[in-house]
Amino acid sequence: MSLHRRLVWKVAKGFRGRAGTCIKLARQQAEKALQHAYRGRKEKKREARSLWIQRVNAGSREHGVKYSEFQAGLKQMNVQLNRKVLSEIAATEPFSFQALVEQVKFMRGIGGGGGGKVA
Amino acid sequence: MQLAQQRASAAVCRRPQAFAGANVPLARSVRPVAPARQQQQQRSFVCQAAAVEAPTAKPSGNPSLLSVGAPDTYAIVEVGGHQMFVEPGKWYTCNRLQVEPGSKIKFGRVLALKQGGTFSVGKPYLEGASVEAEVLEELKAPKVIVYKMRPKKHYRRKNGHRQPLSKFMVTRVG
């Protein structure tokens, strides 16, 4: 069963050209829009996570630690802050984030801090 | 003479050319279709280091953590499958908690805590730290239409979804 006309106009009002005025075209474009919304809701989560990782990477590289090593160090310390929160800490609290990075450096033996690499 | 007149008339009727170097004003004024949008404030990260130098930041319409900088005391708690920054005196929404609205609850899974200038991180949770809150109401998120369609295969599904949420106000962080 196709979309009810009420819903079609709710979705397709303001679309360009005849897709915003003629029911036959608007119905097709409304279906497309809803499918794109479904897909976009899933992609939004992926993109957000990718952005957080980039930010954490940038923040940790400022102090000489790559993202992969940083995550490995956090896992070793059993710190379960997720990427979203880590990225916000890195952006708004540089000193606290630096402390975390220094701790990771110590744990992983990077940059001359502590002994050799912890297996 | 005729040629010049024709050229002049043609020039008047012809639209002004928009190529580089042509300084021709528009023949008619632009009619605004929608009211002029207010200039959106440029969002930029405000971090502690910058906030110290410029404490008087103009608050924008929707202050978020990244636009006003980190507050003085807050906790990072794990609620409803998400981790969130909570400050005392503010309300937040999370996935539906199985408690009566109006009751007081305590969040025990505190991942990090900032209090009085010290930032402590738990492994994974901080001992003895908790966040007390009061559940304000139970609400539902705005409706999301889940529509699936396979073209030319006679398959269409339409469902609506309203996520059940809870709203809680944080009373104490510590």
Side-chain angles (χ1 to χ4, degrees), chain A residues 1 3 7 31 34-35 38 41 55 77-82 84-85 88 91-96, chain B residues 45 47-48 65-66 70 74 76 83 85 111 114 119 121 123-124 144-149 156 158:
Chain A
M1 196 56 213
L3 292 173
L7 178 62
E31 287 194 329
L34 288 170
Q35 286 177 70
Y38 176 77
R41 284 193 289 270
R55 287 185 180 164
M77 295 196 292
N78 201 11
V79 169
Q80 280 177 19
L81 292 167
N82 65 5
K84 170 180 98 176
V85 150
E88 290 180 359
T92 57
E93 300 223 359
F95 303 120
S96 313
Chain B
F45 292 109
C47 66
Q48 263 182 354
L65 187 76
L66 294 176
Y74 64 81
I76 303 177
Q83 299 180 5
F85 280 73
L111 293 157
K114 170 141 178 242
F119 182 78
V121 175
K123 304 180 179 188
V144 156
I145 295 183
V146 178
Y147 188 75
K148 301 186 193 177
M149 197 264 271
R156 276 181 174 85
K158 175 169 162 276

Side-chain angles (χ1 to χ4, degrees), chain B residues 47-109:
Chain B
C47 66
Q48 263 182 354
V52 165
E53 291 148 21
T56 55
K58 198 163 40 142
S60 63
N62 290 326
S64 73
L65 187 76
L66 294 176
S67 68
V68 297
D72 282 327
T73 130
Y74 64 81
I76 303 177
V77 286
E78 199 175 301
V79 189
H82 297 290
Q83 299 180 5
M84 44 170 71
F85 280 73
V86 288
E87 298 171 49
K90 295 195 173 174
W91 60 264
Y92 302 91
T93 42
C94 66
N95 285 331
R96 183 65 64 85
L97 303 165
Q98 303 296 330
V99 284
E100 291 291 323
S103 55
K104 305 236 187 293
I105 51 176
K106 199 159 92 158
F107 297 125
R109 292 197 295 261

